[in-house]
Every structure is written in structure tokens, then in C-alpha cells.
Amino acid sequence: MLTVKDLVKHFPLKAGRFSSSEEKIHALNGVSFTLGKKKTLGIVGESGCGKSTLAKAILGIKPPDSGSVLLSPADTRMQYIFQDPYLSLDPKMQVKDIITEPMRAAGMITKREVAREAERLLELVGLPKDWGTKYPHEFSGGQRQRICIGRAISSRPGIVICDEPVSSLDVSIQSQILNLLLELQEKLEISYIFIAHNIAVVLYMSDIVSVMYAGYIVESAAPQELYANPMHPYTRLLLSVVPEIGKNKRIFEQKITGEVPDLIHIEPGCPFYSRCPVHSDKCRTAIPQLKPGEKEDHSCTCWLYQ
Amino acid sequence: MKEKILEVKNLTTIFHNVNQDVTAVDNLSFDLFSHEILAMIGESGSGKSVTNLSIMQLIDEPGEVAPGSRILFRDGDGYINLNRMTEKEMERIRGDRISMIFQEPSASFNPLFKLGNQVGESLRLHGQSTKEEAYQEALKLLEQVHIPNSALRAQDYPFQMSGGMLQRMMIAQALACHPDILIADEPTTALDVTTQAQILGLLKEKQAETGMSVIFITHDLALVEDFSDRILILYAGSLMEEGPARDVISHPMHPYTQDLIRSIPKPGMFKGQDKLFAIPGKVPDPGEKITGCPYAKRCSRCTAECQASRPDITEKNGRKVRCFHAYS
Ligand SMILES: Nc1ncnc2c1ncn2[C@@H]1O[C@H](COP(=O)(O)OP(=O)(O)OP(=O)(O)O)[C@@H](O)[C@H]1O
Ligand SMILES: Nc1ncnc2c1ncn2[C@@H]1O[C@H](COP(=O)(O)OP(=O)(O)OP(=O)(O)O)[C@@H](O)[C@H]1O
Ligand code: SF4
Ligand code: SF4
Ligand SMILES: [Mg+2]
Ligand SMILES: [Mg+2]
């Protein structure tokens, strides 16, 4: 089990022509959640809302300014899969060494066991088991992402953080990888944090979905509930512009006002205020708290519901 | 009767690489009508970009547009073959009459210059106006593509803009000379859904306003069902299916089109409840020798005939399909 509490991460802006040194980017503004065993927390939100910053803060790659990340003893091993399967594999290493790297780092296997373990892992992620002596450039994008997944699960982590794991892949390969992740979750009892801006993909993969906006979680619910009864005006906007086959949604006719939020000059009140079609004066004065809705496990930060 | 603005006939583009030849576009024919949005769909490597770069005559060594390929572009009362134009003649057509917006907006702006000047400069390249007039015209364009505070933002450098804003500036630049054809190569792939909806709205608005034709390249079928008039489906450099957008998506005839539609995750699919369909295998490698149907290795309807010979295109009721066992 993973418990994340009040994570805050601000990046200082470099002093220069455009800013004083005091200013900072408010990337993460107090994010909390818990993630249970064998569960998936999906995170959606537009570009720049802080999804990757959250992933990196949890992993300790970019430690948070404040807040805590608590892991149950069984889950101390966390791994990650990032977006670009081309950048995340060392081109000079053989695949068998890449895929077993976390196991060796954790002292789980000796050098002699590498070849055997690599065969097992390659098979697990659906690649021919005798491909261990190949190099990354000999693989397609989808195959590389399979290697990244094999590497991530090799050390038997309790939690794997997937940051846009399929967004650089073709639709036909995307489904293969998503189904592989689900299959491995069943087999190995892994929990995932699954980040993507494709909402359909996140709904499909998750047990609970959190919607992020400007460094806040603004709504959380089970995917069925979020899809059927979105509460937050931002979630409703998001769902209204997701392309859907056969629905004649004419998303190009949706009126979308306002620009993406300014993370440097923070105004008091609700971060969605400038784009919200149903705001009131109150929204400008104070930030709404995360409040449970009528349904169990459905919560939202919006003055409409407080 | 709609007027044909572009007629591509037997377009073949080959890259003569050191170790092998790669046929990126294989004998492709299609028409583009006035006032039309034509969607070009296909997976990575299917030849979408190369097709359009061939139309623009922007294929460089070791690539070659086969001499027999005809790219007939409406000019006055007749047609000119762009594949026979000199580079000088093409320079007048590119930007002026056929414009292209690229997938990566940062690639089309120079990071060192202010955006207003860059848009203005591109106007000057194709018109006679003075520097000042061009700048004022550029400001007007930025306003038209809904850049707030355009006079101020024109003073900004590319890195100060969001991805969506840059994409809109690129559209402004591409529209500056009122082209007959706008080619948009995956203009929204890198953007989130709200920005994507804004960009689509903008393209639709400008298209209605100017009556230009649009070739819209994407790999997202769901996006173009109600946005485009017609759809072309490409696979491994070949046309697989063509028809009115709604018909192709509601009644796909080609097994590949049907598989593609089935493998798109749809909102309302949930784990444990639905299983996402996945097409087995992967697209052919570039340069791979294929004797039969290019989709044979992955197709659930494949027969011995499909492996032995390549199906031709059959045409019926405004639909085209390349398959021995097409759905009716
Ligand atoms: N190392 C860094 N230094 C300074 N600013 C950063 C850094 N990393 C992220 N930021 C800023 O923090 C904000 C959140 O970025 P983040 O990468 O978390 O967004 P994201 O939700 O992952 O977006 P995307 O969907 O585009 O990947 C952005 O404004 C970004 O510019
Ligand atoms: N400059 C080049 N040299 C050699 N081969 C090339 C070159 N450009 C493209 N190709 C090949 O031509 C084929 C078609 O590529 P193209 O860029 O048209 O694909 P695409 O459909 O646009 O894919 P994507 O969705 O990834 O943009 C590919 O197999 C590619 O490897
Ligand atoms: S708090 Fe107010 S501005 Fe914010 S989302 Fe709710 S209604 Fe809109
Ligand atoms: S020709 Fe045969 S292999 Fe090709 S798509 Fe049709 S049924 Fe499938
Ligand atoms: Mg990110
Ligand atoms: Mg391309």
C-alpha cells in the first residue's frame, strides 16, 4: 500500500530577463491519495498539470518540497515505465542485461543467472526468449516498450508507475501493451499509477481515477462513476471533448474559453476560475477543499458541491 | 458538381537506401475536391507524410517520386502536373497555393526570433507588402486564430508559448496566403484534448470561411468521423479503403479498418468488464518484400489467395476497398 500526503513541488524560475528570482512554477500544490494492493490509480489532466512531477516526486527522482510518501514494507520496491521507449533504453547494452538490471541492482540474482532470468522475463512480456543478446535498435517501438515493462517488473516491485506508457505507440500496438499490463497485474499482484492524457485509456485501465488541474487533484472516483456522473466542471469539459466513435460529438464546435492556467502568478481562489463556465464570486476568494460527493469514493474540489 | 482541385494518380515514392530500396508510397491514387476535408489515416510508417511531401515536391535524396507519378493540380481551367514542375515553379506554389502545417510546431519556428516578425516575414516572402504592412497583417492573423493580446504576444519568442498557441500560430502562418489546399500533418497529436478541440474548431472555421480544401493527416480515427468529409486508410504505403467518413467508420469494409476501429479504447470501457481488442503482430518492416496482401500476416480473414497475390482496388457506390474478402 502507498500513502501519499500533501505533496508539494515548486520549481524556482531562473532569474533573468523575464522574472525575478522570487518566482516559481507551482507544479504540485498538495496532492494526497492512497493506493491499495493490486489496484490501479489512473491520473488524467492536460499537459503541464503536474502528472510527471507527481510521478517523479513519488519515485524520489525529484524529491518533493514537502509532504510524505509512505510505503508498506512489502512494497518498498517501486519501478517505472516512461513515455518514450526510444530514450529509455541504453543502446550499448544487450537486452538481457537491460531487462534484468533492477534485479542485479537489488542483488536478487548473480551474473550466471542473468541469461535464464532474461528468458523468463522476455517470455512474460511476449517476446521470443532467445532475443536476449540483441540490442535495443533491433526492436520496434512496441517491442521496446515490452522490454521496458519487463525491466520494470523484473525485481518484483509492488508498485509500478507508468507515465504515458503507450502514447508514443500506434493504436494497434497500444492495445497489446495495455492488455499486457493488465495481465501482469493479475499474475504478479502489482499496483499501478497509470498516467496518460488519453481519458478512454485511463478509464479502461484504472480502479480509481483522479483528475488533475494546475497541480491539484480536482476530482476522484471509480472510472464508471466518473464517466457517468462527472462533478467538477473541468472533468465535464474534458469528457465533452474526448473524441468518441459513433457519438457524433462534433468536438470542433465545443466552445472552450480561456488559456491553460498560469502556474507562476497564482491567483487566490479556484485554479479553474478563468475557464469555468459556472463560476461564482465565491470561487475567486478561496480554494475549495476536496469534499466527498453523494456516492462513496467520489470526491471533488468545487464550490458547487460545498 | 464539386470541382476536383487535386488528382493524385499512381503516386509511387521510393527511398533508395544504401542497403535496400524502400517503397514508402505504392501506386497511390486519390482525388481532393474543393471545399473538402479529406482525412488520411494510417499507422506509423504507412506513408502519410511521404505522400504529402511528394505532393509538395519536398522529397530529397535518397528519395525519389517515380517519374510516372502524376500530381494534377487545378490551375485556371486546366491542370498542371506538380511532378513536372521546376523547383522555381514549385516555390511559387508552396505556401502560396498549397500550405503545410507540420506535426512539431517548434520545428517550424526559429527559436531566436520574435513570433510576430516570423509570421510577418513569411507573408513578405509571398506578397509584395512592406515590412510594416506585413507585421500589421501578421497581428490580424494572430487575432483570427484567437491568440489573446496578440500585439503583446507577437513580441514573444517561441519558448514562451504553450504547445497549443504555437500550433495556432503555425496555422496562422499557413493560412496567410489563402492557399487552395492546406495539408495538416498530425496537427493535434502532441496536444491534449481541450487544445485539440480548439485547433479542430479553428481549422473548420477557417475552412468554411475561405473554402479551401484540407488534407488532414492523423492516426486517430475517432477524431475524423464527423470532422472530415472523406477518409483514406493507408497501410504499408498502399490504399486499403476509401469512402465518405461516416460510412467508412460505421460500416468498414476492409478487415484492417474494422480491426483499427475495434482496437481504439472507447470511453465507457472498463477493466474486468470489457476486453480491448488488439491486432496481433505488427506492421511490415520498411523494405520488407510482400508478395500478397500487405495485411495478410495480421488478418483474421486471410486465405491462401491473400498470401499468393496482391488484391486490387474494387470500387462500388463511392467506396473503394483493396481486399479479396471485404465485408459488404
Ligand atoms: N525540472 C523542471 N524544472 C522547471 N520546471 C519544471 C520541471 N519539470 C516540470 N516543470 C514544470 O512543472 C509543470 C508541470 O510539469 P509536468 O511535467 O509535471 O506536467 P505533465 O502533467 O506531466 O505534462 P505532460 O502531459 O505534458 O507530460 C510545468 O509547468 C513544467 O513546465
Ligand atoms: N528520408 C527518408 N529516408 C528513408 N526512408 C524514409 C524517409 N522518410 C520516410 N521513409 C520511410 O518511408 C516510410 C513511410 O514514412 P512516412 O513518414 O510517410 O510515415 P507516416 O505514415 O507519416 O508515419 P508517422 O505516423 O510515424 O508520421 C517509412 O517506412 C519510412 O521509414
Ligand atoms: S469552484 Fe467555482 S470556478 Fe472552480 S470549478 Fe467550481 S464553480 Fe468553477
Ligand atoms: S485480402 Fe485477405 S489478407 Fe488482405 S485484408 Fe483482405 S482478407 Fe485480409
Ligand atoms: Mg508528463
Ligand atoms: Mg508522418
Side-chain angles (χ1 to χ4, degrees), chain B residues 274-288:
Chain B
D274 305 282
K275 175 120 168 100
L276 188 57
F277 174 76
I279 305 178
K282 61 180 189 64
V283 295
D285 290 327
E288 193 177 318

Side-chain angles (χ1 to χ4, degrees), chain B residues 106-128:
Chain B
S106 49
S108 9
F109 289 108
N110 187 325
L112 301 177
F113 294 104
K114 292 179 180 169
L115 283 158
N117 293 340
Q118 294 195 49
V119 177
E121 201 42 43
S122 75
L123 284 169
R124 286 238 297 156
L125 279 178
H126 296 281
Q128 300 84 29

Side-chain angles (χ1 to χ4, degrees), chain B residues 42-50 53 100 103 185-186 217 219:
Chain B
E43 293 181 72
S44 190
S46 59
K48 306 181 296 294
S49 295
V50 171
L53 292 171
M100 188 154 175
Q103 177 167 354
D185 194 351
E186 311 218 23
I217 305 173
H219 54 245

